[in-house]
Amino acid sequence: MAQRQQLHDLLVGILGSNRVYFQPPPTVQMQYPCIVYHRDKEDAKHADNNPYSRRKRYQVVVIDSNPDSLIPDKIGALPLCSFDRFYTADKLNHDVYNLFF
């Protein structure tokens, strides 16, 4: 959990507010702009059938009404981060990234 908390603190620093949500339940009223993230998968490297390196991947979604927001650029600049897709829903812009942390 300490590693996930470090990621959470990093995302709060990038956003500049506490509107960062980890696996939020449907009952949470989110305010925008915000960042929503959850664990997505794990990457393991093996030698002799044993894992010697494991990294957790998180899906990070920046949700903002501003289509020209700078927040996605800051997320995309993180090490081991890659852009996945963009979509709009409910008049909000969603930038989706995959981040190994």
Side-chain angles (χ1 to χ4, degrees):
M1 176 159 140
Q3 195 171 19
R4 190 196 61 79
Q5 188 60 48
Q6 290 175 350
L7 173 59
H8 187 87
D9 294 342
L10 175 66
L11 296 175
V12 167
I14 288 172
L15 186 62
S17 78
N18 288 326
R19 296 178 185 165
V20 176
Y21 307 98
F22 176 68
Q23 297 177 184
T27 57
V28 170
Q29 265 316 92
M30 291 189 276
Q31 297 179 349
Y32 307 103
C34 72
I35 295 175
V36 176
Y37 69 105
H38 66 273
R39 278 192 48 196
D40 184 45
K41 73 177 213 172
E42 185 174 288
D43 183 43
K45 304 288 185 209
H46 293 83
D48 293 329
N49 294 325
N50 293 309
Y52 69 89
S53 171
R54 294 173 43 198
R55 294 185 300 180
K56 294 176 183 169
R57 187 175 87 172
Y58 294 86
Q59 187 175 79
V60 179
V61 183
V62 178
I63 306 172
D64 198 340
S65 59
N66 179 3
D68 298 319
S69 173
L70 298 177
I71 301 166
D73 294 334
K74 294 176 183 178
I75 298 294
L78 293 172
L80 301 175
C81 185
S82 62
F83 181 76
D84 187 20
R85 66 186 176 280
F86 171 84
Y87 65 94
T88 58
D90 299 324
K91 298 180 184 177
L92 293 169
N93 302 289
H94 296 67
D95 290 274
V96 182
Y97 293 87
N98 292 317
L99 173 64
F100 284 99
F101 195 83

